[in-house]
């Protein structure tokens, strides 16, 4: 279908502020009499605070107040806390000091005597699962969202039975299966079985999560750094200890989140508490080191997988076990997503998944761009290549035969996918990359350099439903799209707003996007995470536009006579189908809506709206024609999004330096709304994937648990010099049936597609050797080539 | 307290150390011997007290807050200096250890310059000093006297017309989250000032001091090449 706006590039309304420095992030705000606060954080990986003596600090000129764990709400184990009486990781905030300036606050911190009792700690899930091994918390070592904090120890026999390089398969916390897995292995021509490790690593958003807060007229005004907008409000209100309607949340720009700022996080509430205590605005700036320990990280895996294949490459059975490294707190369910991802990407005929989520005294974990799915892509795709080599079939062919299509299913429940065009993505990518020709270069030597080629695939669910949409046409004829989704930096808040403009036939010049501040009347929307925006927000904006359309037609019928069906929308007018001379402009209709009142101007709203949306409509009621509705469009199954990557590298066998000569990424994400930005996501997610494959990992001092990779140069997010020399992006561009205009999100799989294709290419360059580990650092390649043992133990985590 | 501009560099870094100030006992200038000794004390202090580390970096004094001009416990005092920023002379009180990034953001209200790491790793704070891109987070404000500093707020034309790099970054959809963007713009402007027609490899190298966690490098680089094409 030909659209007026969709599928066309546009200039997002917030980009000019970014290139001119006018974009205001949370640390850019100032308020009269603003204090600064600094954190005192734990120097130990696990300890109990026995005593805090702040008397010296509080005597210092300019020091205003101290905030301790007793001053802030505490939450049930194992949730993230605002301030910790029992810190579970180095860098956990114990208290905060506010002073007239930051230097004084920092000097005051150094005068505070904190008496800490060191407690046992653990940095490796397998150490904690071993009988008698240390627990990250005094009351348990296993937990996750929906998995109660508990102590789990495996039998020593499970450890004894496993070879040193094989994951022991002890008692899992969770499991599922479908089909006859054993029969699948019996029917297989080739069975591969491997253990693997994927590293935990920091999100390292460029903007440290600074925050500023003040109170006015009983409301807390909070300037925060978050991917999401409306979705932040209930959780942040809980952290501040107020009702959601008492929080004014301002987050117009977010300096990167990648999952770590998608949902409410507790330290953002510290300036709000401090402001309440002091009666003055408070700014809390977060340092890079604090961002490292409190800015979250991706969970790591110690995994095991057994996969069976028919002679034609079809995957007959999978048995998978994941030990998730979850940090010290509630963390994220990466370990579950691993099983889901395998069931989707390869559609095995039978599958069993088992897993557990183990706590370690390392920085808290949360979702990072494809949490679980992208580690899985990086671990499994190279093993898939190993199977293809054993079967003697092409690596493209083995992916094509297993790829999900519109009959694809997910997990034990066999939930259907809303649509899937992975085969088409593979075909398109192979053509763009010229796989047939390039794959022949595999293993070619040029001096010390050898060529490797690889294909990778990654998946993420890509949408939700049931949220609210809100639009408003004002008497000047402008369309205001009120979006509470947030501004992660992908411009999808703007791209999905174009759905409403498209549905009403609006000229984009006449559209104003209202966002970034509770006071701009923002409806209840899902956050910007989980590759969901282009699906979820398309639905909400569509239903809001449909409601506005219905009201426009009603008003025309009332004013000009006839029935609503006698009219249509064209060029921002309501025009009689029979008599095109009979029309009224949207501007006139908006004025008329105000006169009519009731639902037309938002004085009445549907009951099924979220209270936040009702509050938002109340702010703008009577100012124009209001289109507002809850997304009740049909929904079933799982919207899923995919990216496939093709890469050619040149690996220097003397130095292990790898140059990426060409990368091609193709995504299946339904109808493309904004092509330039889609290409951007495929390429830039690909850059993050290079970090996962080659550089990024946690490292700790094993004796003291101190993080040793907190600096950017040690953590090593990719730079300009690591990017592919040539890069192409494309999309299948086939509509999803459950999205009103066919759109689906796609932000996460580009990382996993790039990472896994790169790892496959490295394997290819090394004659098929699979490291079963991320990242594959140069030392590992050199050790392999020189037949030296690796510096790390098998299954060891947080290795250098 | 008289401030000797020649007496900066490592001596000034030594003055940041709170322990040194209490050991020294006031706001008199320190002798090199005292500085060396007090730095050792400071380092020893950090080693013995892990908790102190968390607060010892990334601190600044905000000149607009009442009381900020008084001598601090650390013995540092502000001194009024003149900085030439975006073509204008700006009189501003700065501490001896104050970085240009802090002066710009917290004394002069120029918040377009971002602080991503505060120790010369990420490039978000990049400004131009006499046509050279510098990290303002590791540049002492006192050292900038007599230099011409351009920040992101100063690259637009006097008529408000965007610089060709800014326009190219819009056309190529360079920024994503935008936090590193001012620094990327400044590095690109400095690069093209010195090398108006860079090859793509030269541009990649020229921009490589600026990290972007979003990974927007390809689009930024296309922006640099587009701007160079219009030079």
């Amino acid at each position: 279908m030909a659209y007026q706006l969709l599928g066309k590039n546009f200039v997002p309304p917030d980009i000019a502020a970014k290139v001119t420095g006018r974009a205001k992030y949370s640390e850019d705000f100032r308020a009269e009499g603003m204090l600064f606060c600094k954190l005192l954080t734990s120097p130990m990986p696990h300890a109990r605070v026995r005593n805090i003596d702040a008397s010296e600090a509080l005597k210092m000129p300019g020091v205003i107040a101290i905030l301790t764990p007793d001053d802030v709400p505490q939450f049930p184990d194992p949730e993230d806390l605002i301030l910790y009486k029992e810190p579970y990781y180095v860098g956990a905030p114990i208290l905060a000091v506010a002073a007239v300036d930051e230097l004084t606050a920092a000097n005051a911190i150094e005068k505070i005597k904190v008496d800490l009792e060191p407690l046992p700690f653990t940095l490796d899930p397998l150490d904690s699962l071993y009988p008698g091994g240390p627990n990250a918390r005094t009351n348990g070592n296993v937990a996750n969202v929906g998995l109660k904090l508990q102590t789990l120890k495996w039998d020593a026999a499970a450890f004894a039975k496993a070879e040193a390089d094989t994951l022991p398969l002890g008692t899992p916390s969770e499991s599922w299966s479908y089909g006859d897995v054993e029969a699948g292995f019996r029917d297989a021509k080739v069975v591969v079985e491997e253990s693997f490790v994927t590293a935990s690593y920091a999100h390292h958003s460029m903007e440290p999560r600074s925050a500023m807060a003040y109170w006015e007229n009983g409301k807390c005004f909070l300037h925060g750094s978050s991917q999401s907008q409306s979705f932040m409000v209930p959780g942040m209100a809980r952290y501040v200890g107020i009702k959601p309607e008492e929080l004014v949340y301002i987050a117009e720009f977010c300096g990167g989140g990648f999952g770590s700022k998608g949902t409410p996080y507790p330290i953002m509430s510290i300036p709000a508490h401090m402001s309440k205590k002091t009666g003055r605005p408070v700014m809390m700036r977060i340092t890079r080191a604090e961002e490292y320990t409190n800015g979250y990280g991706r969970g790591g895996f110690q995994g095991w997988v057994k996969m069976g294949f028919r002679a034609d490459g079809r995957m007959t059975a999978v048995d998978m076990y994941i030990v998730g490294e979850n940090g010290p707190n509630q963390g994220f369910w990466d370990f579950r997503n691993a099983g889901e991802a395998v069931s989707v990407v390869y559609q095995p005929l039978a599958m069993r998944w088992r897993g557990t989520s183990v706590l370690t005294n390392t920085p808290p974990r949360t979702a990072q761009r494809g949490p679980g799915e992208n580690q899985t892509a990086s671990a499994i795709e190279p093993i898939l290549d190993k199977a293809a080599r054993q079967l003697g079939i092409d690596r493209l062919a083995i992916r094509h035969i297993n790829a999900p299509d519109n009959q694809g299913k997910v997990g034990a429940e066999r939930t259907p996918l809303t649509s899937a065009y992975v085969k088409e993505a593979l075909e398109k990518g192979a053509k763009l990359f010229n796989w047939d020709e390039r794959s022949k270069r595999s293993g070619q030597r040029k001096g010390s350099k050898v060529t490797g080629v690889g294909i990778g695939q990654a998946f993420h669910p890509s949408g939700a439903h049931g949220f609210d949409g809100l639009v408003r046409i004002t008497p000047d004829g402008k369309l205001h799209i009120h979006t509470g989704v947030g501004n992660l930096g992908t411009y999808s808040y703007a791209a999905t707003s174009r759905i409403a403009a498209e549905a009403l036939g609006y000229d984009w010049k006449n559209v104003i996007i209202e966002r970034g501040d509770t006071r701009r009347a923002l409806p209840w929307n899902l956050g910007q995470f989980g590759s969901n925006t282009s699906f979820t927000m398309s639905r909400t904006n569509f239903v809001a536009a449909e409601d506005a359309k219905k009201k426009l037609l009603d008003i025309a019928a009332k004013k000009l006579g006839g029935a609503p069906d006698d009219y249509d929308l064209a060029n921002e007018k309501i025009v009689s189908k029979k008599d095109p001379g009979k029309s009224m402009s949207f501007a006139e209709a908006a004025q008329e809506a105000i006169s009519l009142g009731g639902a037309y101007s938002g004085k009445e709203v549907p009951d099924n709206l979220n209270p936040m949306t009702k509050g938002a409509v109340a702010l703008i009621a009577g100012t124009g024609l209001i289109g507002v509705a809850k997304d009740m469009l049909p929904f079933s199954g799982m919207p899923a999004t995919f990216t496939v990557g093709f890469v050619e590298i040149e690996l220097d066998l003397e130095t292990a330096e790898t140059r990426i000569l060409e990368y091609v990424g193709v995504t299946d994400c339904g109808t493309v709304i904004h092509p330039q930005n889609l290409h951007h996501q495929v390429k830039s997610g690909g850059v993050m994937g290079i970090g996962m494959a080659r550089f990024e990992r946690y490292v700790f001092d094993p004796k003291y648990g101190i993080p040793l990779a907190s600096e950017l140069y040690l953590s090593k997010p990719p730079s300009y010099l690591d990017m592919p020399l040539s890069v192409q992006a494309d999309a299948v561009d086939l509509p999803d049936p459950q999205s009103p205009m066919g759109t689906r999100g796609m932000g996460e799989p580009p990382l996993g597609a790039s990472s896994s294709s790169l790892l496959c290419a490295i394997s290819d360059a090394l004659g098929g050797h699979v490291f079963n580990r991320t990242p594959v650092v140069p030392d590992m390649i050199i050790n392999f080539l020189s037949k030296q043992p690796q510096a790390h133990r098998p299954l060891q985590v947080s290795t250098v | 307290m008289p401030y000797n501009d020649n007496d900066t560099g490592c001596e000034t870094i030594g003055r940041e150390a709170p322990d040194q100030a209490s050991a020294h006992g006031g706001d008199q200038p320190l002798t090199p011997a005292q500085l060396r000794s007090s730095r050792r004390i400071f380092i020893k202090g950090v080693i013995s007290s892990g908790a102190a580390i968390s607060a010892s970096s990334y601190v600044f004094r905000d000149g607009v807050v009442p009381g900020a001009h008084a001598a601090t416990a650390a013995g540092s005092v502000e001194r009024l200096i003149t900085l030439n920023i975006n073509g204008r002379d700006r009189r501003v009180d700065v501490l001896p250890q104050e970085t240009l990034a802090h002066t710009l953001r917290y004394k002069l209200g120029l918040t377009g310059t971002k602080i991503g790491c505060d120790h010369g790793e990420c490039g978000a704070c990049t400004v131009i000093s006499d046509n050279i891109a510098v990290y303002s987070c590791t540049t002492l404000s006192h050292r900038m006297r007599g230099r011409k500093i351009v920040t992101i707020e100063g690259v637009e034309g006097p008529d408000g017309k965007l610089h060709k790099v800014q326009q190219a970054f819009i056309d190529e959809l360079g920024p994503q989250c935008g936090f590193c963007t001012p620094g990327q713009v400044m590095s690109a402007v400095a690069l093209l000032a010195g090398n108006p027609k860079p090859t793509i490899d030269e541009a990649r190298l020229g921009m490589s001091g600026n990290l972007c966690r979003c990974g927007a490098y390809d689009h930024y680089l296309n922006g640099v090449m587009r701007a160079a094409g219009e030079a």
Side-chain angles (χ1 to χ4, degrees):
Chain A
M1 170 173 180
Y3 291 111
Q4 184 193 337
L5 299 173
L6 261 56
K8 293 181 180 143
N9 290 331
F10 66 102
V11 177
D14 61 325
I15 194 171
K18 290 176 178 173
V19 302
T20 56
R22 293 194 182 94
K24 279 197 158 197
Y25 299 79
S26 53
E27 201 204 308
D28 299 335
F29 291 90
R30 306 284 178 266
E32 187 74 26
M34 188 171 86
L35 302 173
F36 291 83
C37 79
K38 289 290 296 174
L39 302 174
L40 189 153
T41 62
S42 176
M44 297 180 190
H46 189 192
R48 186 177 293 117
V49 177
R50 280 189 293 224
N51 189 49
I52 295 169
D53 176 4
S55 52
E56 288 287 304
L58 288 167
K59 277 185 232 159
M60 291 170 64
V63 173
I64 307 296
I66 179 174
L67 197 71
T68 70
D70 292 331
D71 297 322
V72 296
Q74 294 290 317
F75 301 100
D77 287 341
E79 286 191 37
D80 294 343
L81 298 180
I82 303 168
L83 295 170
Y84 290 80
K85 287 180 192 172
E86 184 179 331
Y88 300 107
Y89 58 100
V90 171
I94 294 170
L95 59 83
V97 168
V100 291
D101 58 52
E102 200 176 43
L103 186 56
T104 306
N107 287 337
I109 290 283
E110 307 204 12
K111 297 283 184 203
I112 295 174
K113 297 187 188 77
V114 178
D115 181 14
L116 292 170
E117 176 194 354
L119 295 172
F121 68 92
T122 183
L123 303 169
D124 185 328
L126 291 182
D127 287 352
S128 186
L129 288 169
Y130 199 81
N135 285 357
R137 286 175 172 257
T138 40
N139 51 357
N141 71 332
V142 160
N144 204 288
V145 178
L147 175 61
K148 201 168 168 287
L149 178 62
Q150 58 194 273
T151 300
L152 177 67
K153 301 290 169 187
W154 286 350
D155 289 342
F159 286 90
K161 211 173 119 192
E163 300 288 328
D165 58 355
T166 304
L167 183 75
L169 303 178
T171 312
S173 300
E174 299 176 7
S175 65
W176 54 256
S177 69
Y178 67 85
D180 188 339
V181 176
E182 287 313 313
F185 288 131
R186 277 198 305 273
D187 295 345
K189 184 177 180 208
V190 161
V191 175
V192 289
E193 183 183 335
E194 304 280 338
S195 295
F196 54 85
V197 173
T198 66
S200 296
Y201 63 95
H203 288 68
H204 263 321
S205 306
M206 290 301 294
E207 179 200 16
R209 53 196 62 224
S210 299
M212 195 271 271
Y214 58 92
W215 296 74
E216 214 169 80
N217 298 328
K219 285 195 174 188
C220 178
F221 289 72
L222 181 56
H223 293 267
S225 175
S226 62
Q227 300 165 213
S228 310
Q229 175 71 38
S230 294
F231 200 74
M232 298 298 283
V233 173
M236 284 315 305
R238 174 174 175 256
Y239 285 134
V240 177
I242 55 178
K243 295 181 196 135
E245 57 271 27
E246 292 167 336
L247 180 67
V248 177
Y249 187 62
I250 303 125
E252 203 175 334
F253 291 92
C254 168
F258 316 104
S260 73
K261 299 172 182 169
T263 49
Y265 54 87
I267 67 167
M268 196 205 290
S269 70
I270 291 173
H273 290 290
M274 193 64 101
S275 175
K276 191 163 198 180
K277 188 161 186 175
T278 59
R280 290 168 67 170
V282 175
M283 166 73 79
M284 176 181 69
R285 300 200 315 142
I286 292 297
T287 67
R288 177 53 47 190
E290 288 166 347
E291 178 64 19
Y292 182 80
T293 48
N294 292 294
Y296 298 94
R298 178 190 290 279
F301 287 167
Q302 289 158 313
W304 170 86
V305 72
K306 184 175 168 186
M307 298 191 289
F309 298 87
R310 285 192 322 224
D312 62 357
R314 184 74 180 97
M315 202 179 278
T316 53
V318 175
D319 194 4
M320 184 182 212
Y321 200 119
I322 300 288
V323 176
E325 191 195 346
N326 197 43
N329 296 343
Q330 186 167 266
F332 200 81
W333 54 92
D334 296 49
F335 75 121
R336 293 179 191 133
N337 289 349
E340 182 176 275
V342 167
S343 80
V344 173
V345 176
Y346 309 109
Q347 298 290 312
L349 301 174
M351 179 169 175
R352 173 168 67 156
W353 170 85
R354 289 171 287 172
T356 187
S357 164
V358 181
L359 307 185
T360 53
N361 298 97
T362 60
R365 304 300 202 284
T366 194
Q368 185 185 114
R369 204 170 192 172
E373 296 88 356
N374 286 340
Q375 294 96 309
T376 303
S378 297
I380 302 299
E381 289 282 301
I383 302 173
L384 187 71
D385 282 359
K386 191 170 184 172
R389 286 190 174 91
Q390 287 183 21
L391 288 163
I393 61 175
D394 180 71
R395 289 181 283 155
L396 178 62
I398 198 169
R399 286 168 174 81
H400 199 276
I401 196 170
N402 290 302
D405 56 21
N406 289 337
Q407 275 67 54
K409 304 236 178 338
V410 190
E413 281 79 36
R414 308 277 73 211
T415 308
L417 303 176
T418 56
S419 67
Y421 299 100
V422 183
K423 291 181 200 295
E424 289 80 355
L426 286 165
E427 287 157 16
K428 197 161 194 171
K431 199 169 167 196
L432 277 172
F433 183 77
N434 197 4
W435 172 258
D436 289 346
E437 286 307 308
R438 273 188 199 248
S439 58
K440 291 178 191 154
R441 295 186 211 165
S442 162
Q444 278 182 10
R445 285 288 292 271
K446 201 163 57 183
S448 65
K449 298 193 172 84
V450 61
T451 298
V453 292
I455 309 174
Q457 312 173 95
F459 139 86
H460 197 277
S462 59
H465 65 107
F467 294 84
D468 298 336
L470 175 59
V471 301
R472 173 174 58 138
I473 300 168
T474 42
D476 58 1
K478 302 278 186 196
L479 173 67
H480 300 250
I481 297 166
H482 296 253
T483 173
V485 73
N487 185 7
L488 164 67
T490 61
Y491 306 112
S492 61
Y493 79 88
T496 53
S497 293
R498 286 163 76 83
I499 299 278
E502 183 83 52
L504 290 167
Y506 250 97
D507 184 336
W508 187 240
K509 286 202 304 283
N510 294 327
V511 175
I512 296 163
I513 300 177
E514 305 281 0
R515 66 177 190 90
D517 185 329
T518 305
R519 291 166 291 187
R520 296 203 185 114
L522 307 181
W524 175 237
N525 289 130
L526 190 56
Q528 282 220 292
F529 48 68
S531 300
N532 89 85
T533 303
S534 291
F535 183 90
T536 318
M537 290 302 295
S538 292
R539 290 168 59 110
T540 59
N541 286 330
F542 182 79
V543 295
E546 286 288 294
D547 185 54
K549 182 176 178 179
K550 183 179 170 298
K551 287 168 182 169
L552 287 166
L553 297 174
D554 277 359
I555 288 171
K558 277 181 199 291
K559 284 296 280 185
L560 305 176
D565 281 354
D566 299 338
Y567 294 88
D568 220 340
L569 307 186
N571 303 316
E572 296 168 30
K573 285 184 180 144
I574 313 127
V575 185
S576 164
K577 287 176 188 167
K578 287 183 196 140
D579 177 8
K582 204 157 86 174
S583 74
M584 93 192 273
S585 69
F586 285 4
E588 290 164 332
Q591 191 61 55
E592 192 56 32
I594 295 170
S595 308
L596 287 165
Y600 293 106
S601 72
K603 299 280 189 191
E604 292 164 17
V605 293
D607 275 345
N608 66 350
L609 296 179
N610 182 281
M612 187 184 292
T613 311
K614 289 180 182 172
V617 176
L619 282 177
I620 52 174
T623 64
L625 186 149
I626 303 289
V628 63
K630 178 175 175 167
D631 162 22
M632 302 288 282
L633 297 171
F635 181 91
S636 64
M638 175 196 272
T641 184
F642 302 89
T643 305
V644 299
F646 291 75
V647 72
E648 179 180 349
I649 63 164
E650 203 173 65
L651 193 155
D652 191 318
L653 296 171
E654 289 173 0
T655 64
E657 188 198 358
T658 307
R659 274 158 44 105
I660 303 172
L661 304 179
E662 173 87 30
Y663 177 73
V664 172
V666 178
T667 190
D668 164 29
C669 62
T671 306
V672 175
I673 314 181
H674 185 184
Q676 191 181 30
N677 195 34
L678 176 110
H679 295 167
H680 204 354
Q681 284 298 310
V682 173
K683 295 174 188 175
S684 60
V687 170
M688 272 190 105
I690 296 168
M692 177 189 257
R694 300 305 317 281
F695 313 123
E696 297 186 65
R697 74 279 178 268
Y698 278 167
V699 183
F700 300 95
D701 179 313
K703 192 166 178 190
Y704 298 107
I706 309 281
L708 298 178
S710 55
E711 309 288 329
L712 291 165
Y713 83 96
L714 295 168
S715 237
K716 188 93 182 68
S719 84
Y720 274 98
L721 303 179
D722 301 312
M723 60 186 281
L725 299 177
S726 167
V727 54
Q728 297 181 68
D730 211 332
V732 176
D733 204 8
L734 291 169
D736 190 282
Q738 294 204 20
S739 182
M741 296 186 190
T743 61
R744 256 199 265 121
M746 53 72 63
E748 285 157 284
L751 191 162
S754 147
S755 172
S756 58
S757 64
L758 185 51
L759 291 163
C760 288
I762 291 170
S763 268
D764 185 51
L766 298 175
H769 177 74
V770 177
F771 287 97
N772 284 326
R773 182 172 277 270
T774 65
V776 172
V777 298
D779 279 14
M780 288 165 57
I781 295 173
I782 295 293
N783 284 336
F784 166 74
L785 288 168
S786 55
K787 300 189 169 53
Q788 295 296 311
Q790 295 296 348
H792 54 78
R793 298 189 313 274
L795 298 171
Q796 186 184 351
V797 298
S798 306
T799 55
V800 177
Chain B
M1 178 190 101
Y3 186 84
N4 179 357
D5 190 35
N6 298 322
D7 184 24
T8 53
C10 64
E11 283 81 6
T12 307
I13 291 165
R15 281 183 197 171
E16 281 183 280
D19 282 17
Q20 140 216 317
S22 50
H24 174 64
D27 54 2
Q28 292 302 305
L30 300 164
T31 68
Q34 281 173 321
L35 281 162
R36 277 194 297 279
S37 128
S38 58
R39 262 204 304 282
R40 276 200 302 277
I41 294 166
F42 173 64
I43 291 163
K44 272 163 63 187
V46 167
I47 291 166
S48 65
S49 145
I53 299 169
S54 63
S56 64
S57 62
Y58 209 83
V59 291
F60 70 97
R61 177 171 294 286
D62 180 358
V64 300
V65 174
H69 294 263
T72 70
S76 302
V77 292
E78 291 179 332
R79 182 179 161 84
L80 187 64
I81 63 168
T82 302
L83 296 175
N84 185 280
I85 295 166
N86 299 330
R88 282 174 61 202
D89 277 348
R90 303 286 300 266
R91 302 275 285 163
V92 56
D93 288 313
V94 302
L95 286 164
Q97 76 272 31
E98 190 170 302
T99 66
L100 181 59
H102 288 139
T103 307
L104 293 170
R105 289 182 50 79
Y106 283 90
K107 303 263 174 92
L108 299 172
L110 298 171
T111 56
T113 298
K114 303 301 179 201
I115 298 176
C117 68
D118 211 30
H119 43 238
E121 292 190 275
C122 76
C125 66
T126 304
V127 300
I128 296 174
S129 162
D130 292 337
N131 291 322
I132 294 169
V134 298
Y135 289 163
S136 65
C137 78
T138 46
T139 301
L140 293 170
S141 298
H142 276 281
R143 284 262 166 145
M144 288 287 106
R145 281 186 278 177
R147 311 262 180 100
K148 289 194 185 321
I149 301 157
V150 181
T151 71
I152 186 68
E153 289 87 354
V155 296
E156 286 165 72
D159 53 352
K161 187 170 184 289
L162 293 178
H163 188 280
K164 66 189 177 189
V165 167
Q166 293 173 309
Q167 188 57 54
F169 277 11
I170 290 178
D171 295 342
E172 293 290 342
L173 201 75
Q176 280 189 26
C177 85
F179 195 77
C180 75
T181 307
Q184 303 277 0
V185 170
M186 299 315 287
S187 285
V189 169
L191 168 71
L192 296 182
N195 181 5
K197 294 282 180 193
T199 65
I200 190 115
D201 284 337
E202 288 168 344
R204 195 182 281 120
L205 196 60
M207 297 296 288
S208 64
N210 291 70
L211 285 178
C212 169
R213 186 51 160 163
C214 300
Y217 300 128
D218 191 62
H219 283 226
Y220 279 133
L221 207 50
N222 291 340
V224 174
M225 299 313 283
R226 176 189 279 260
E230 287 170 13

